[in-house]
Amino acid sequence: MTPGSTPAACAALLRRDLTLVWRRRGDAFNPLLFALIVVALFPLALGPEPEQLRRIAAGIVFVALLLAGLLALDTLFRSDYEDGSLEQLVLSPHPLSLLLACKIGVHWLTTALPLIVLAPLLGELLHLPGEVRGVLVVALLLATPLLSLIGAVCVALTVGMHRSGMLLALLVLPLYVPILIFGAGACNAAQAGLPSLAPLLWLAAALVLALVLAPLACAAALRISIS
Amino acid sequence: MTPGSTPAACAALLRRDLTLVWRRRGDAFNPLLFALIVVALFPLALGPEPEQLRRIAAGIVFVALLLAGLLALDTLFRSDYEDGSLEQLVLSPHPLSLLLACKIGVHWLTTALPLIVLAPLLGELLHLPGEVRGVLVVALLLATPLLSLIGAVCVALTVGMHRSGMLLALLVLPLYVPILIFGAGACNAAQAGLPSLAPLLWLAAALVLALVLAPLACAAALRISIS
Amino acid sequence: MPVFDETHARPALLEARALAFARNDEPIFGPLDFTLSAGEVVLMEGDNGAGKTTLLRVLSGLLAPTSGEIRLHGEPLTLARLSPQVVLLSHQGGLKLELTALENLRFAAGLVGQRKGMSPPSALTAVGLDGYGDVPVRQLSAGQKKRVALARVLLAPVALWLLDEPYANLDRSGIELVNRLLERHAHDGGAALITSHGAYAYTSGAPRRIALHDAQRAAMTLPTGAMA
Amino acid sequence: MPVFDETHARPALLEARALAFARNDEPIFGPLDFTLSAGEVVLMEGDNGAGKTTLLRVLSGLLAPTSGEIRLHGEPLTLARLSPQVVLLSHQGGLKLELTALENLRFAAGLVGQRKGMSPPSALTAVGLDGYGDVPVRQLSAGQKKRVALARVLLAPVALWLLDEPYANLDRSGIELVNRLLERHAHDGGAALITSHGAYAYTSGAPRRIALHDAQRAAMTLPTGAMA
Amino acid sequence: MNILLLWFHKLGSPPTFYRLAGLLLPWCYGIGLVLGLVALYGGLVLAPRDYQQGDAYRIIFVHVPTAWMSLFAYAFMAANAFIALVWHIKLSEILAIASAPIGAAFTLIALVTGALWGKPMWGTWWTWDARLTSELVLLFLYLGVIGLNAAIEDRRQAARAAGFLALVGIVNLPIVHFSVNWWNTLHQGSTVRLMGPSKIDAAMVWPLLLMALATHIWFFGSVLMRARIALLQLEGGKDWVRRVALDEGAGND
Amino acid sequence: MTEFIAMGGYAFYVWTSVAVFFGVLAAEALAPLAQRRRVLSEIRGRLQRRAARAQPPRGEAP
Ligand code: HEM
Ligand SMILES: Nc1ncnc2c1ncn2[C@@H]1O[C@H](COP(=O)(O)OP(=O)(O)OP(=O)(O)O)[C@@H](O)[C@H]1O
Ligand SMILES: Nc1ncnc2c1ncn2[C@@H]1O[C@H](COP(=O)(O)OP(=O)(O)OP(=O)(O)O)[C@@H](O)[C@H]1O
Ligand SMILES: [Mg+2]
Ligand SMILES: [Mg+2]
């Protein structure tokens, strides 16, 4: 790892991004609180009958986490673009897709993983049956990296824009639909006592594909939108 | 309406803000599409059984519109702050609260009103019973100005900050809870065949109060956060 | 520390007495005393971070001073009394990029009124942007945007101009323009306080100058010959 | 239009041939021909919007030119070949405000390596920020931030510096610092292309200059005497 | 690909394309309109009543061709976007973006007419079955492409970014088409076949196919129209555009 | 004729579908016309502005 080698560059990037997250560790709780509040809105809006809540619990947790992840996406490249360090990544002598993969990894680790840890609690708030909890966590573990990877491509496309928040949501959400169907589908199947392996396998396959393709697509998109 | 008089100032501000919305009229559809997509997420996550959807339709429409309104809030003062015209409003010789009330009015007209028009369609997508539709629209007509007014105070508090998106959501959502309870409560009552007038009257009372107080609070908050 | 400046018989347009501002208990600028009379242009100089922008924001009433006081025509300042009498040109310019130059000026005129004998088109002509009235400001270059912002200042029916770095982003002809506008404003009985930091060329006559150096910040400047 | 410059026997470090860039079909800068050899510092001058920043971004490979070509050591440029050889100082500076000056420099060194005999602390010393290594960049003034960005340039193990307005935001001692750094870099066999627009004081010896004037944009400047 | 490249190269010269498109345009709109009216006459008047669905089935003559077009337009857009991104051909960028609005229009019609058909047949305007959902997602993808293109200032950069998004979204096309086979849904499976025997009456088939032809021709008319405007915008500074602007300015306003 | 209009009781659905078909396509076809006029007048405006100004000489590299 001599300075300037590719592993050193990735290590420097990881260290920097983790330090930045640590420096503003207060912000790290925002997605958690957001998800919590969104989940809390539903009993208020729908009325508190446990039977009804139980039936829709998994789906609502999934949607809440997806929306929280969506709002968090905005921070992925935004500050790097604004302060010009994204330019430096593009101009660095290392494969851009690899550097971006590091960034996406840190982002997933610091925004999505805490949400997954929170998920069982959110389920509990909505009286989610205990036996579904395991499937929910597994589905989220497969689905959230996919969300981050696909989201990153869309963020890369919109990074140079003002007020991209809404637009980003419009670009990203249609692409999230299949993930939501499979992820929530697995939970619903488990809740109905049906086998839930098939949709999880589909998610896993998609994740493998995205792990390979998304960083490349992300790099290409970034090159387009930075010019 | 000599130039420089207070009515002239309000008229100039209204004209300017409406022109700005018209110049980027493409953006005006974003909250609509966002609400539509969020509503679409729920049947995908919960499964398509019409019976179940019907029962939770009003609540979901309410939550979706609330979230769309929340994302749209960000644009209320943001660009005015960034380009420095907010400073000019503060320094103008007219009551700041009046000017802000004009801005909030335009914002409600161009973001919330289209959402209300869309609401029956969203209800239809979730098989909302026809007789609830009227109550839903009335509840939204009372609730959305309240959301805009309360939201504006929170936006004014966060306007000087970077990356306020999440933070704003966290400030605003707890304040929205009572509105959600009364608004969705009215719809649920109507759906259950119960009288729904009482919660609507509460909303109306709150709206009158907010119309008087929120612009003043907003002006005070803005003075704090601009310094 | 405060040294009251009692030489002027009639009250000055603007007067600062032992004015100081601190952020989080760190002094941004020290206790300052100065007056600004009608017909005067004062240039405020200072290095980066010396507090020039902050001082202008305090004088305009956007920020409340930590200590000391500001007097307008000899009386203590309140925002309500102040705002019809002052115009602030700040870094951002306060222009809407989607609107045309004229639309921006019309809005400004609607908000604060317009100077007698001036109108949005004539203000635009005065800053040398004839024919750009219908161009969205987004399409103008940085220097042209600055000119539109100056037109807004010119249009406002007020005597006191607070201009933050009016020379920044301008090329040489723009700098001359600013100097001409300032001379004319002073000649018409107005007053102006302008900032500019060392590196900008300032080619005007010989306006009165105020140097802003905060002790704490001055300590942070580079010792010459630091190069290894 | 392209006039090839064949006077140099050995290939120049950087060479532009009939280089032009247009946005939405509006020419930003016209067809340009120039060479940059080792040991040379070239100053690019031009009014606002003349396209200085854009030219640097094209030369650094961030933007693709609309027509013409760029040669590096005599061979056509690709981003992969270019990036280990060039460092760009852009308007934003590329600093993380939450990190300290040293952390920022360490990251830069990790990303692109560091010059022989240089380290993050010594680069910081070289720009006169000794003792500021552990201060978060957010707390530095604009001029000090600029110095940290210059330290990053100094640290990069590359021969070609593309500096966009290195003098902006700097006070007089900072301007001298930049000139000293440039001289030293040229003396060590490096080359630099720097921009500066008319209004900034430039006090160095006599570097070669390129004037950038786009016809279309030049037409938009102020006719002198436009004041009503 | 070589032939395609050659073809693009020949037509790719903007003034040539502009002139050629201007010549083709009225014919596309005219023929599309006439064929469409004939097909509608065949479908609404001549075709016999369906023994199961009664006259409601006649919605097929607007629903199915537009539904097909919604897929075709997306495929056309994505193909052009691919060419544009790989070979940096300006004309393909323009064609890709030009097909988005008309594709969105067809998708919207397919959705609305489908809903209008669903009410009498299924008893509901809308259900969340796979085909309906994926078609709705298709509309969102179109709108995303249009929105992204509108949000970026630099025209070529906007076209490339939007084209990139179109390519990413192409995964949705097979989902729309095969959803009826992969999941059992309310929606009808394939009934019309070009190869082999169709499952429905010939008097119903010819208006359907004729309408499909008409919508294709109309689609190309619209794409040419929009591509011409985009060319004017993109080449705003060139001499030929100047001439066009001055010529048509004298005539139009 | 009235029987034709009635569409066997499905008149609303069939005719609304046809109306939507024509309505949306007509709107889609008319939208570019306005856009075209706007683009052309924009180009003309730019030309006029440019023509109104003298063209100073173009600077060049040494
Ligand atoms: C909102 C509701 C609907 C939507 C979004 C929709 C969408 C579509 C789409 C996208 C296709 C083209 C599929 C392809 O070519 O692969 C299609 C074809 C078709 N639709 Fe619908 N549809 C809807 C409602 C209906 C209804 C209610 C019926 C009839 C009861 C119907 C009958 C058909 C038929 C017969 C075809 C042609 C199938 C073929 O031959 O490929 N659709 N629809
Ligand atoms: N909103 C703020 N919050 C915290 N500190 C601030 C803020 N604005 C300015 N400062 C600090 O106050 C000090 C003075 O800043 P100011 O902008 O007034 O300087 P200036 O003289 O205008 O400098 P410049 O020449 O760079 O414009 C600086 O150290 C700056 O970091
Ligand atoms: N991202 C962009 N999109 C569209 N136009 C741009 C963009 N960046 C710059 N321009 C335009 O290109 C022209 C040249 O800009 P550039 O920033 O290169 O000028 P400059 O010489 O650096 O000016 P300055 O002295 O103000 O820094 C300007 O007219 C500007 O408006
Ligand atoms: Mg300042
Ligand atoms: Mg520049």
Side-chain angles (χ1 to χ4, degrees):
Chain A
M1 294 234 307
T2 54
S5 71
T6 300
C10 290
L13 187 59
L14 288 173
R15 190 169 339 109
R16 186 196 69 160
D17 276 11
L18 287 171
T19 314
L20 282 172
V21 172
W22 180 246
R23 290 279 149 85
R24 51 170 72 145
R25 49 194 175 279
D27 288 10
F29 292 98
N30 286 351
L32 296 181
L33 285 173
F34 180 79
L36 193 61
I37 296 180
V38 169
V39 165
L41 289 182
F42 284 94
L44 299 175
L46 305 179
E49 297 84 40
E51 243 341 288
Q52 172 171 334
L53 288 178
R54 187 192 317 278
R55 227 164 319 133
I56 59 176
I60 286 183
V61 171
F62 233 95
V63 172
L65 261 59
L66 191 148
L67 289 176
L70 181 70
L71 288 200
L73 262 189
D74 197 46
T75 60
L76 182 49
F77 298 132
R78 162 83 26 146
S79 71
D80 275 4
Y81 175 77
E82 280 168 0
D83 63 23
S85 41
L86 205 52
E87 258 172 44
Q88 288 176 29
L89 292 190
V90 174
L91 285 181
S92 87
H94 311 293
L96 182 58
S97 53
L98 194 63
L99 297 175
L100 293 181
C102 292
K103 278 196 76 69
I104 299 171
V106 172
H107 190 259
W108 179 82
L109 218 66
T110 53
T111 61
L113 202 54
L115 283 173
I116 297 178
V117 173
L118 186 72
L121 172 66
L122 294 180
E124 201 55 50
L125 284 180
L126 298 175
H127 311 286
L128 184 76
E131 64 274 17
V132 187
R133 218 178 293 151
V135 179
L136 177 66
V137 170
V138 173
L140 286 173
L141 276 174
L142 291 170
T144 50
L146 253 174
L147 297 178
S148 292
L149 287 165
I150 294 178
V153 178
C154 294
V155 179
L157 279 176
T158 59
V159 75
M161 284 179 225
H162 291 275
R163 72 195 70 263
S164 62
M166 266 297 181
L167 183 66
L168 181 64
L170 294 183
L171 301 186
V172 167
L173 285 178
L175 299 176
Y176 278 5
V177 164
I179 307 174
L180 182 68
I181 291 178
F182 284 114
C187 300
N188 292 338
Q191 197 158 354
L194 303 173
S196 58
L197 194 62
L200 292 181
L201 287 180
W202 276 109
L203 280 182
L207 178 56
V208 171
L209 207 69
L211 274 174
V212 178
L213 292 182
L216 294 171
C218 199
L222 208 57
R223 286 233 168 77
I224 290 175
S225 63
I226 213 173
S227 71
Chain B
M1 294 233 306
T2 53
S5 71
T6 300
C10 289
L13 186 60
L14 289 174
R15 189 166 342 107
R16 186 197 69 159
D17 276 10
L18 287 171
T19 315
L20 282 173
V21 172
W22 179 245
R23 289 280 148 84
R24 49 171 71 146
R25 51 194 174 280
D27 288 11
F29 291 98
N30 286 353
L32 296 181
L33 287 172
F34 180 79
L36 190 58
I37 296 181
V38 170
V39 164
L41 289 181
F42 285 96
L44 300 177
L46 306 178
E49 296 83 40
E51 244 340 287
Q52 172 173 332
L53 289 177
R54 187 190 320 277
R55 225 163 322 133
I56 57 178
I60 289 182
V61 171
F62 235 94
V63 172
L65 261 58
L66 192 148
L67 289 177
L70 181 70
L71 287 201
L73 261 189
D74 196 45
T75 61
L76 182 50
F77 299 132
R78 162 81 29 143
S79 71
D80 275 4
Y81 175 76
E82 280 168 1
D83 63 22
S85 41
L86 205 52
E87 258 172 47
Q88 288 175 29
L89 293 189
V90 174
L91 286 181
S92 87
H94 312 291
L96 182 58
S97 54
L98 195 62
L99 297 176
L100 293 181
C102 290
K103 279 195 76 70
I104 299 172
V106 172
H107 190 259
W108 180 82
L109 218 66
T110 54
T111 62
L113 201 54
L115 283 173
I116 297 177
V117 173
L118 185 72
L121 173 66
L122 296 179
E124 198 58 57
L125 285 179
L126 298 175
H127 311 287
L128 184 77
E131 64 274 16
V132 187
R133 219 178 293 151
V135 179
L136 176 67
V137 170
V138 173
L140 286 173
L141 277 173
L142 292 171
T144 51
L146 254 175
L147 298 178
S148 292
L149 287 165
I150 294 177
V153 178
C154 296
V155 180
L157 278 174
T158 61
V159 76
M161 289 178 214
H162 288 276
R163 71 196 71 263
S164 62
M166 261 305 178
L167 184 65
L168 180 65
L170 295 181
L171 282 182
V172 167
L173 283 178
L175 296 177
Y176 280 5
V177 164
I179 306 175
L180 182 70
I181 291 178
F182 284 114
C187 298
N188 292 339
Q191 197 158 352
L194 304 172
S196 58
L197 195 61
L200 292 181
L201 287 180
W202 276 111
L203 279 182
L207 178 57
V208 171
L209 208 67
L211 273 174
V212 178
L213 293 183
L216 295 171
C218 198
L222 208 57
R223 284 231 169 75
I224 292 173
S225 63
I226 214 173
S227 71
Chain C
M1 184 90 23
V3 180
F4 292 112
D5 172 35
E6 305 282 59
T7 49
H8 295 263
R10 66 182 255 269
L13 210 64
L14 189 76
E15 190 175 351
R17 296 191 175 180
L19 195 65
F21 187 81
R23 245 184 230 282
N24 297 329
D25 231 39
E26 289 198 18
I28 302 289
F29 55 82
L32 278 179
D33 296 87
F34 63 85
T35 54
L36 190 61
S37 318
E40 210 175 15
V41 175
V42 173
L43 172 70
M44 186 161 45
E45 281 184 322
D47 291 341
N48 297 121
K52 303 181 293 296
T53 301
T54 310
L55 174 57
L56 287 191
R57 292 173 73 84
V58 169
L59 291 178
S60 72
L62 279 175
L63 293 178
T66 311
S67 65
E69 75 175 338
I70 307 170
R71 290 174 165 256
L72 202 71
H73 293 299
E75 281 166 60
L77 177 146
T78 63
L79 192 56
R81 286 196 54 242
L82 171 71
S83 44
Q85 309 195 35
V86 72
V87 61
L88 174 70
L89 173 73
S90 57
H91 277 297
Q92 297 102 338
L95 302 174
K96 284 282 163 202
L97 300 183
E98 281 81 16
L99 299 184
T100 66
L102 265 183
E103 282 169 335
N104 267 298
L105 291 181
R106 285 212 196 93
F107 167 65
L111 196 61
V112 302
Q114 61 192 36
R115 187 178 286 263
K116 252 210 324 269
M118 271 274 178
S119 69
S122 74
L124 217 51
T125 308
V127 295
L129 284 182
D130 230 354
Y132 286 94
D134 295 332
V135 183
V137 171
R138 183 182 293 289
Q139 289 174 24
L140 299 179
S141 84
Q144 289 167 334
K145 281 182 198 135
K146 192 78 177 207
R147 284 167 194 252
V148 179
L150 285 168
R152 179 177 70 76
V153 171
L154 202 59
L155 191 60
V158 302
L160 185 56
W161 289 1
L162 303 175
L163 310 185
D164 197 7
E165 314 227 356
Y167 301 109
N169 293 332
L170 288 177
D171 45 28
R172 293 203 181 85
S173 71
I175 292 178
E176 280 158 32
L177 170 77
V178 174
N179 288 335
R180 253 179 296 134
L181 293 179
L182 283 172
E183 269 160 35
R184 196 188 165 92
H185 182 61
H187 183 259
D188 291 352
L193 184 62
I194 67 180
T195 74
S196 178
H197 64 67
Y200 284 102
Y202 181 73
T203 60
S204 171
R208 199 149 65 81
R209 287 166 191 241
I210 300 179
L212 216 57
H213 292 290
D214 177 78
Q216 178 204 349
R217 269 151 227 286
M220 287 170 74
T221 56
L222 174 77
T224 341
M227 167 111 193
Chain D
M1 184 86 27
V3 180
F4 293 113
D5 173 33
E6 305 282 63
T7 48
H8 296 262
R10 68 181 256 270
L13 210 65
L14 189 76
E15 191 176 351
R17 296 190 174 181
L19 195 66
F21 186 82
R23 247 183 227 282
N24 291 330
D25 220 48
E26 292 198 13
I28 301 289
F29 55 80
L32 279 179
D33 296 88
F34 63 85
T35 54
L36 190 62
S37 318
E40 211 177 14
V41 174
V42 173
L43 172 69
M44 186 161 46
E45 282 185 319
D47 291 342
N48 296 122
K52 303 181 293 296
T53 301
T54 310
L55 175 58
L56 288 190
R57 291 173 73 84
V58 169
L59 290 177
S60 72
L62 280 175
L63 294 178
T66 311
S67 64
E69 74 174 338
I70 307 169
R71 291 174 163 256
L72 202 71
H73 294 299
E75 281 166 61
L77 177 146
T78 62
L79 193 56
R81 288 197 52 242
L82 172 70
S83 45
Q85 310 194 35
V86 71
V87 60
L88 174 71
L89 173 74
S90 56
H91 277 298
Q92 296 103 339
L95 301 174
K96 284 282 162 203
L97 300 183
E98 281 82 14
L99 299 184
T100 66
L102 264 183
E103 283 168 335
N104 268 298
L105 291 181
R106 285 212 197 93
F107 168 65
L111 196 61
V112 301
Q114 60 191 37
R115 188 177 287 262
K116 250 205 329 262
M118 271 275 178
S119 68
S122 74
L124 217 51
T125 309
V127 296
L129 284 182
D130 232 353
Y132 286 95
D134 297 330
V135 182
V137 171
R138 182 182 295 289
Q139 289 174 24
L140 299 180
S141 85
Q144 288 165 335
K145 280 181 198 137
K146 192 79 176 206
R147 285 166 193 253
V148 179
L150 284 168
R152 181 178 67 77
V153 171
L154 203 58
L155 191 59
V158 301
L160 185 55
W161 287 2
L162 301 176
L163 311 184
D164 197 8
E165 315 226 356
Y167 301 109
N169 293 332
L170 288 178
D171 44 28
R172 291 200 182 88
S173 70
I175 291 176
E176 278 158 33
L177 170 77
V178 173
N179 288 336
R180 252 178 298 132
L181 293 180
L182 282 172
E183 267 159 38
R184 196 188 166 91
H185 182 60
H187 184 260
D188 293 351
L193 184 62
I194 66 179
T195 74
S196 178
H197 65 66
Y200 283 103
Y202 180 74
T203 60
S204 171
R208 199 150 65 79
R209 287 167 192 240
I210 300 179
L212 216 57
H213 292 291
D214 176 79
Q216 177 205 348
R217 267 152 228 288
M220 286 167 75
T221 57
L222 173 78
T224 343
M227 167 110 192
Chain E
M1 215 74 241
N2 248 336
I3 302 172
L4 201 64
L5 271 182
L6 206 68
W7 185 77
F8 269 117
H9 206 74
K10 266 212 166 127
L11 280 179
S13 142
T16 316
F17 178 85
Y18 184 86
R19 203 157 16 85
L20 226 63
L23 290 180
L24 278 174
L25 196 71
W27 291 97
C28 285
Y29 276 135
I31 294 176
L33 189 63
V34 170
L35 291 187
L37 288 175
V38 171
L40 221 51
Y41 180 75
L44 295 183
V45 181
L46 300 183
R49 176 172 302 179
D50 188 75
Y51 67 96
Q52 267 184 333
Q53 303 196 351
D55 278 322
Y57 95 93
R58 292 183 198 277
I59 296 177
I60 199 173
F61 298 110
V62 288
H63 171 70
V64 174
T66 49
W68 284 342
M69 283 312 293
S70 69
L71 300 180
F72 174 80
Y74 200 95
F76 181 83
M77 175 170 76
N80 274 293
F82 183 77
I83 295 171
L85 287 174
V86 175
W87 288 289
H88 293 276
I89 294 176
K90 202 191 260 184
L91 192 56
S92 308
E93 283 168 17
I94 288 176
L95 289 177
I97 301 308
S99 40
I102 176 79
F106 281 127
T107 312
L108 183 65
I109 299 173
L111 280 166
V112 174
T113 56
L116 282 165
W117 200 357
K119 187 68 181 175
M121 289 302 112
W122 306 335
T124 175
W125 300 102
W126 184 262
T127 68
W128 292 92
D129 92 341
R131 167 155 287 177
L132 274 56
T133 305
S134 54
E135 181 78 354
L136 186 62
V137 168
L138 187 69
L139 179 66
F140 292 147
L141 286 174
Y142 274 122
L143 294 177
V145 168
I146 295 171
L148 186 58
N149 180 56
I152 300 177
E153 198 117 319
D154 186 85
R155 293 327 304 148
R156 290 202 70 177
Q157 186 193 344
R160 265 182 296 149
F164 195 93
L165 181 69
L167 274 182
V168 172
I170 203 167
V171 286
N172 191 46
L173 277 202
I175 298 181
V176 177
H177 184 67
F178 293 113
S179 49
V180 281
N181 304 347
W182 292 347
W183 294 278
N184 43 4
T185 65
L186 271 179
H187 195 280
Q188 219 130 334
S190 290
T191 42
V192 186
R193 305 237 176 89
L194 288 180
M195 316 293 171
S198 286
K199 294 184 199 161
I200 59 172
D201 195 333
M204 299 177 182
V205 171
W206 76 259
L208 188 59
L209 293 183
L210 191 65
M211 184 56 104
L213 183 65
T215 46
H216 275 81
I217 295 177
W218 183 272
F219 166 78
F220 281 109
S222 173
V223 167
L224 290 180
M225 181 77 192
R226 286 175 188 277
R228 268 162 60 99
I229 299 171
L231 263 186
L232 288 180
Q233 250 174 339
L234 202 60
E235 302 251 297
K238 299 265 163 69
D239 270 344
W240 71 270
V241 175
R242 227 171 272 193
R243 271 197 304 279
V244 169
L246 294 178
D247 288 355
E248 311 212 354
N252 279 0
D253 6 30
Chain F
M1 192 61 198
T2 44
E3 196 195 350
F4 172 63
I5 302 259
M7 276 290 159
Y10 294 115
F12 170 75
Y13 302 107
V14 176
W15 292 119
T16 319
S17 295
V18 173
V20 165
F21 178 73
F22 280 111
V24 173
L25 284 184
E28 200 278 336
L30 291 181
L33 292 181
Q35 197 195 352
R36 181 185 164 76
R37 213 168 313 126
R38 209 174 49 241
V39 166
L40 283 177
S41 75
E42 222 165 75
I43 292 172
R44 274 197 300 279
R46 211 160 45 197
L47 286 179
Q48 278 159 13
R49 267 200 303 282
R50 212 177 296 176
R53 256 150 261 271
Q55 300 241 327
R58 162 182 301 242
E60 238 311 50

